[in-house]
Amino acid sequence: MAAATGKDSIKAVWVERLSSALRTALACTIVGCTTLYGPARLRDFLAYPAFSYVTAILIVSDATLGDTLRGCWHALYATIQVMIPCILTFQVIRPARFSNALAAVAVAVITFMVALPESTPLMAKRIAFGQAVIVFVGAAIHGAEEGAVTHPIHVALSTALGALASVLAMLIPYPWLAYSKARKTCRLYVENASERLNIYVEGLTAQNKQAATDLLSQAKFLSVTGAKHLQTIKDTRGGMACEIKPKIRKLNPGENLQDIEILMKGVEIALDSCPSFPVSVIDEGIKQALLDMKGKIGLKLQKAKCFAPFDATTAPEAKAGESCVQAPKTGGATQADLPAFFFLYCLELLSGELPVGQNPECNSENTNKTDTRDVTSKRDQEKANLRKTWDCSTIKLPNMERWTLATKCSLSLGFAVLFGLIFNKENGYWSGLVIATGFVTERQATFTVTNARGQGAAIGSVYGILCCFIFQRFEDLRLLPLLPWIIFTSFLSHSRMYGQAGGISAVTGALLILGRKNYGPPNEFATARLVEVCIGLTCFIMVEILLKPARAATLAKTEFAWSLRALRDCIDDTSRLCAGQKSALSSSIPALRRKHQEVITSRINNLEKFIAAAESEPNFWFLPFYGACYRKLLVSLRKMECLLLFVAIEIETLPQVSDGLQELINNYLHSLREKVGVSLKCIQELISMNSLTLLESGVQKISTSHDDNELGKSSPSADVLFRTLSRLDEEEDENSIPQHSKEEAIGIEQELKSRLILRMYSLEFCISSLTKETQEIEKQVKELVKWENPESCHSTKEGSHGGG
C-alpha cells in the first residue's frame, strides 16, 4: 500500500510539472507568434521580444492563475517604478549623450533605488532590473535613434506582452486555479497521512524489532512526501488571494493539516524510541482501542479530504470511560514503556480537537468561531501583502542588511553593464540581464548557482544553433523545436544539478536564438552572448565575495548557535511560566507557543538552507564542510523542536491538576532547565571557541547523571502519580456527583485517570527524549570540533600520554 501511495504521488508530481511545462510553452508560443507574425505596426511597438520571453518565463513557470495575476501586478509595479525615473532621466540627459559609463551609472542608481525597499516583491525587482538594463543599454547602443519617451514605452509594452501571454496560458484550455491545486494536494496529503497512520499502528503492534524498523522506514519515506505536500499548499496561499472566490472558498484546504503533521511527527518519534518489540504495555484491550481510534481518525481524515470542517464533531464521540489506556493497578511504567504511552497520547490528540496548530489565542470553547475567522485572516493577510507594495505608510527605514543587498545589486549590474558594453556594444544587454533575471534576496551557494547559469546558457545556445542549422531552409518552423525544449528545461529546473537558475538560463538561451529574427548569424550571436553571460557572472561573483565574504559553512555554524539559543530560551520561558501562578498560564502559554512557532522553526529552517548551500559550494583552500555531522545535528534539533511543542501542549492543563501533580510537573521542568538548558548554553558558547580542550572541560561540567534514564527502572512519576490518584478516589467518594449513576461516575473517574496518566507519562517521555537529544548534540559537536581542529586532537592525545 505504501508503494501504491508513493507511485500516486510521483505520478501526480509528473503530471503537474508536465502541465506547467505545456503552459510555459504556450505562453512562449503566444509571444513568438505575436512578435514574428503579428501586424507590422504592432511589431514596431514590441521592440524587445527577448524581454517578452523573459517576462513570460519568470511569471508563468510553476505558477497558477492566481500566481500569474500576482505576477502581472508585480510587472505593473516594476514598470511604474522604473519607467518614471527613466523618462525623467532622459529629459535631463538625452539618449544621444549616453556613453557606456553613463549607462552603467544609470543602471546602478536605478537598481539601488529598486532593491533598497523591503516592500518591493522579488518578482517586481527582477523585472525592474531587467527593464533598467534594457532602457539604458539601449540608449547607449542606439543613441539618437531612441526617443526619450518612446524608448521606455517600447520596453514597457514588451513587458506587458509577456505578462498577457502568461495570463492567457493559464486560461487555455481551462483555468489552472491555485485553489484547485491546493485541493488536489490536500487530497494527496490526506491519503499520505492515512497510510502513515496505518503503518505507525502496525509498527507499534509489531512482534519483532526488524518488522518495526522496516515499517518505520516506509513511514519516514512517506513523511518526506507529506512535508512536500504541505509546503505546496502553503505556497498556493498567495495565488488564492488573487483569484475570484468560489463558494467553496469559505473552507481553507490546508486547515488543520499542519496539526496532523505535527502529531504524526510525535507518533514517529515515539515509535522510533521504542527499545524492544513487542511492546510490553500493548495488550489485547489496547490493540482494540488502537483499531477504534484509527477508524475514528480515518473518518476525520476523510472529512478533511472532502473539505469539511475538521473538528471534534467529525467522528462519533467516545463514551464515558473509553480510553486507549487504563490506569495500571500496581506499580508504574518503566522508561521502556514511555514511548508507547506517548504514541497513544498523540493518537488521542489526533482523534480530538487538534490543539497544536490552532490560533494560540483561542481555546477549545471557541474553536468553531475562530476557525472561520482564522481562514479569513490568512486570506486578508495575503491581500494586505499585495496592497503593501503601494502603501507608503508601510515603508520602514532599511537596516544594514538591506543597504548591503542594494549595494551588491547596484555594483553587480553596474559593472556587468559597463564591461559588457566595452566588450561588445551591440550585445551589451546580456551581461546585465543574466544577473537581473536570477536575482534572489536570500543566501545562496554563489559558485554553484553561477555554474548552473553558465551551463544552462551554454546548452540552450548550442540547442538553438543546432536547430537553426536543421531548419535553415524552413525559418518559419523554427518555433516548433522550442516546444520540446521548453518542456525539457521545465523538468530541468527541478533537478539538483541545475535548479531554477540553470533551467531558466537554458530555456532563455534557446528562445533568444529560435524565437527572434534580424539579430545576425546565430553562431556569432550565441558566441557573443555566452561571453557576455560570463562577464556578468564574473562581476556577480566578485561583488558577492567582496561585500558578503562569509561562507555558507560559517553561516551554518552561526545559525546552529542561534538555534540552540532559541531552544534554550523556550525551555527557560516554559520553566519560569510553570513556576508562576496557575491563573497566568491560560494567557501566557499562547505567547509561548507563538514564540516556538515563529522563532525556533525559522532558525532551524535557516540552518537547513545554509547546510544545503554549504554542501554545494566549493571548498577551495578551506576545510571541507562536514555535512554528515550537520545533518545529524539538524535531525536532533528538529526532534527537540517537536518535543518542546508537545511540552507546551501538555502543561496547558496545569491549572486543572492537583497541587501534588503541579509540584511534580514543576520538578520535571526544573530538571529540564538545569540539564538541557544549561547544556545547550554551554554548547552554544563552545561551538565558537574551536578548542577541543575547552570542549572537553565544558562537557565534563555539563555532564548529567544517566541513572534515571536506564531502561527497566520505574518511572519517577509513578509513586507521586498513584498517590495523587488515590487522593482523587477519596475525594470522589466524598463528593460524588448526584446526577450521575454510580456506574457513570466510575466510568468518568477511570477516564480522567487514564487521560492523566497519558499526559504525565507523555510529559516524562518528552523531557527524557530532550535530554537524550541534547546528549546526542554534545556528541556531534565534539566530533565537529575534532574535525575542524585536528591539531587540537593531536595535542590532547600527546598531553594524555605525557601525563601517564
Side-chain angles (χ1 to χ4, degrees):
M1 186 66 180
T5 304
K7 290 181 180 179
D8 292 341
S9 298
I10 294 174
K11 179 181 177 181
V13 170
W14 275 84
V15 169
E16 181 181 334
R17 291 180 181 177
L18 181 60
S19 174
S20 175
L22 291 174
R23 292 182 186 274
T24 304
L26 178 58
C28 293
T29 301
I30 293 173
V31 173
C33 292
T34 303
T35 56
L36 293 176
Y37 311 113
R41 184 64 177 170
L42 178 62
R43 295 201 304 269
D44 292 339
F45 284 104
L46 303 174
Y48 297 95
F51 197 68
S52 299
Y53 286 119
V54 171
T55 303
I57 293 172
L58 289 177
I59 293 177
V60 81
S61 296
D62 296 326
T64 60
L65 178 60
D67 297 326
T68 304
L69 294 175
R70 184 173 57 171
C72 293
W73 180 269
H74 294 164
L76 175 62
Y77 178 66
T79 302
I80 296 175
Q81 198 174 22
V82 171
M83 294 306 153
I84 293 178
C86 286
I87 294 175
L88 294 177
T89 301
F90 287 148
Q91 297 299 323
V92 178
I93 306 174
R94 306 302 293 180
R97 301 175 57 186
F98 263 77
S99 62
N100 296 346
L102 187 57
V105 171
V107 169
V109 171
I110 295 295
T111 301
F112 186 86
M113 294 170 55
V114 173
L116 189 59
E118 187 177 2
S119 60
T120 305
L122 177 61
M123 178 70 71
K125 289 181 179 179
R126 288 180 174 179
I127 295 175
F129 293 162
Q131 289 177 336
V133 170
I134 293 178
V135 168
F136 291 113
V137 172
I141 294 174
H142 302 291
E145 299 177 8
E146 300 290 356
V149 177
T150 57
H151 174 47
I153 288 179
H154 289 167
V155 176
L157 291 177
S158 298
T159 305
L161 174 61
L164 179 61
S166 300
V167 175
L168 293 177
M170 285 295 114
L171 294 173
I172 301 173
Y174 59 88
W176 177 228
L177 298 174
Y179 190 76
S180 300
K181 181 179 179 180
R183 288 197 307 173
K184 183 178 179 181
T185 310
C186 184
R187 291 193 186 100
L188 292 175
Y189 177 81
V190 169
E191 293 173 359
N192 178 282
S194 300
E195 182 60 26
R196 275 192 286 164
L197 178 63
N198 294 332
I199 292 175
Y200 289 140
V201 173
E202 186 178 352
L204 185 67
T205 57
Q207 297 303 309
N208 57 76
K209 183 71 173 179
Q210 184 60 44
T213 302
D214 293 341
L215 290 169
L216 187 60
S217 299
Q218 296 179 29
K220 287 182 177 180
F221 170 77
L222 291 175
S223 66
V224 174
T225 305
K228 292 180 180 178
H229 291 329
L230 282 180
Q231 185 61 43
T232 300
I233 295 173
K234 182 179 179 181
D235 293 339
T236 58
R237 289 178 181 174
M240 286 192 291
C242 300
E243 295 175 355
I244 300 175
K245 302 180 192 176
K247 293 181 180 180
I248 200 171
R249 276 286 307 279
K250 64 182 180 180
L251 297 174
N252 182 5
E255 183 183 359
N256 290 312
L257 295 186
Q258 189 63 41
D259 302 41
I260 299 174
E261 184 63 23
I262 292 173
L263 294 174
M264 285 289 184
K265 289 180 182 178
V267 172
E268 182 178 313
I269 291 174
L271 185 59
D272 197 17
S273 302
C274 290
S276 60
F277 292 87
V279 180
S280 58
V281 298
I282 305 298
D283 54 21
E284 292 301 323
I286 292 183
K287 286 183 180 179
Q288 183 59 43
L290 284 172
L291 293 177
D292 294 341
M293 278 199 301
K294 188 172 70 171
K296 182 179 179 181
I297 297 170
L299 289 175
K300 301 185 80 171
L301 290 175
Q302 290 301 319
K303 289 288 185 178
K305 187 177 180 180
C306 298
F307 316 108
F310 195 92
D311 54 26
T313 63
T314 306
E317 291 293 337
K319 296 180 181 179
E322 288 187 1
S323 181
C324 62
V325 60
Q326 298 297 325
K329 297 179 180 180
T330 59
T334 65
Q335 288 287 333
D337 298 331
L338 293 181
F341 283 102
F342 184 65
F343 186 103
L344 299 169
Y345 173 70
C346 292
L347 288 188
E348 282 211 341
L349 289 179
L350 270 171
S351 61
E353 295 183 356
L354 298 177
V356 183
Q358 292 175 357
N359 187 346
E361 297 182 357
C362 66
N363 52 38
S364 58
E365 295 179 358
N366 57 2
T367 299
N368 293 333
K369 295 180 181 180
T370 56
D371 282 344
T372 305
R373 186 166 62 248
D374 186 53
V375 174
T376 305
S377 64
K378 289 178 181 178
R379 293 200 299 263
D380 293 341
Q381 183 180 3
E382 296 293 344
K383 293 181 178 180
N385 291 335
L386 293 176
R387 293 193 296 266
K388 187 172 66 173
T389 58
W390 300 93
D391 189 0
C392 297
S393 63
T394 61
I395 297 178
K396 300 179 181 179
L397 292 177
N399 53 24
M400 183 56 63
E401 184 178 358
R402 302 303 308 175
W403 286 99
T404 303
L405 179 64
T407 304
K408 182 181 69 173
C409 298
S410 176
L411 293 178
S412 297
L413 278 172
F415 283 119
V417 168
L418 176 62
F419 295 129
L421 287 172
I422 292 175
F423 173 76
N424 188 324
K425 196 165 187 176
E426 291 298 322
N427 293 287
Y429 302 98
W430 314 116
S431 59
L433 282 177
V434 70
I435 300 177
T437 57
F439 170 76
V440 294
T441 55
E442 59 185 12
R443 182 66 167 83
Q444 60 180 350
T446 304
F447 290 97
T448 303
V449 174
T450 302
N451 180 52
R453 289 181 190 172
Q455 289 190 30
I459 62 175
S461 300
V462 170
Y463 180 83
I465 293 173
L466 291 176
C467 290
C468 284
F469 175 77
I470 295 172
F471 290 88
Q472 57 183 340
R473 295 184 179 179
F474 309 97
E475 291 189 2
D476 292 337
L477 300 179
R478 290 197 304 182
L479 280 177
L480 293 180
L482 275 176
L483 302 181
W485 182 250
I486 293 173
I487 295 174
F488 171 74
T489 52
S490 295
F491 284 95
L492 198 68
S493 298
H494 296 279
S495 66
R496 292 183 180 180
M497 184 175 182
Y498 286 93
Q500 186 181 29
I504 291 178
S505 295
V507 68
T508 304
L511 279 170
L512 296 179
I513 295 176
L514 297 175
R516 299 187 306 150
K517 292 181 179 179
N518 305 321
Y519 56 84
N523 293 357
E524 296 180 6
F525 169 76
T527 303
R529 181 177 177 273
L530 284 177
V531 176
E532 294 285 341
V533 166
C534 291
I535 291 173
L537 295 178
T538 302
C539 294
F540 169 74
I541 290 176
M542 296 305 298
V543 173
E544 185 80 16
I545 292 175
L546 292 175
L547 293 185
K548 206 167 186 178
R551 298 177 64 230
T554 305
L555 296 175
K557 191 174 183 179
T558 304
E559 197 64 33
F560 171 62
W562 280 108
S563 300
L564 295 177
R565 173 65 181 272
L567 290 171
R568 180 171 61 86
D569 290 345
C570 185
I571 292 173
D572 292 344
D573 293 343
T574 303
S575 179
R576 285 193 296 266
L577 180 62
C578 292
Q581 297 180 353
K582 286 185 179 182
S583 58
L585 285 175
S586 58
S587 60
S588 302
I589 287 180
L592 179 66
R593 284 169 55 188
R594 189 183 305 111
K595 179 178 180 180
H596 174 278
Q597 294 171 353
E598 294 178 358
V599 180
I600 300 179
T601 304
S602 63
R603 286 293 182 187
I604 297 178
N605 288 340
N606 290 337
L607 174 61
E608 187 173 14
K609 293 178 182 179
F610 290 143
I611 291 174
E615 288 177 334
S616 60
E617 71 177 359
N619 297 316
F620 293 115
W621 54 86
F622 299 102
L623 191 70
F625 180 70
Y626 199 176
C629 184
Y630 273 97
R631 288 291 176 185
K632 293 179 181 178
L633 290 171
L634 184 63
V635 171
S636 295
L637 292 175
R638 289 288 188 194
K639 284 186 178 180
M640 295 185 72
E641 172 197 7
C642 184
L643 291 169
L644 280 175
L645 179 57
F646 278 103
V647 170
I649 296 171
E650 287 152 4
I651 65 174
E652 285 190 38
T653 56
L654 188 57
Q656 306 170 11
V657 302
S658 63
D659 293 337
L661 285 181
Q662 181 184 0
E663 182 181 357
L664 177 62
I665 293 174
N666 291 339
N667 291 337
Y668 271 149
L669 296 176
H670 179 74
S671 175
L672 176 66
R673 183 179 181 183
E674 291 298 319
K675 292 182 179 181
V676 177
V678 173
S679 298
L680 292 177
K681 180 179 180 180
C682 293
I683 296 173
Q684 178 192 353
E685 295 173 353
L686 294 172
I687 192 66
S688 59
M689 293 181 180
N690 294 325
S691 172
L692 186 62
T693 304
L694 290 174
L695 180 67
E696 292 288 352
S697 62
V699 170
Q700 291 178 4
K701 182 177 69 173
I702 63 178
S703 62
T704 57
S705 174
H706 308 308
D707 294 338
D708 291 339
N709 293 330
E710 294 179 2
L711 298 178
K713 287 197 173 185
S714 177
S715 165
S717 66
D719 295 337
V720 179
L721 180 59
F722 279 99
R723 286 199 300 269
T724 305
L725 291 175
S726 298
R727 289 196 297 269
L728 287 176
D729 290 341
E730 297 174 359
E731 295 174 1
E732 182 67 26
D733 291 338
E734 295 176 358
N735 304 299
S736 57
I737 304 176
Q739 60 266 30
H740 286 287
S741 65
K742 183 176 181 181
E743 292 77 8
E744 291 176 337
I746 293 175
I748 294 174
E749 175 189 351
Q750 185 63 32
E751 183 179 8
L752 291 175
K753 286 182 182 179
S754 301
R755 294 185 184 278
L756 184 59
I757 288 174
L758 271 184
R759 196 171 294 273
M760 292 302 300
Y761 284 163
S762 298
L763 178 60
E764 186 176 348
F765 169 80
C766 290
I767 294 176
S768 175
S769 299
L770 285 168
T771 304
K772 291 178 182 178
E773 293 303 326
T774 304
Q775 295 166 5
E776 180 64 22
I777 290 177
E778 292 175 6
K779 177 183 175 182
Q780 296 301 327
V781 168
K782 183 176 180 179
E783 184 177 349
L784 181 62
V785 174
K786 287 181 179 179
W787 170 269
E788 295 180 347
N789 301 272
E791 66 283 354
S792 299
C793 183
H794 294 316
S795 62
T796 302
K797 291 181 179 179
E798 291 175 1
S800 62
H801 290 315

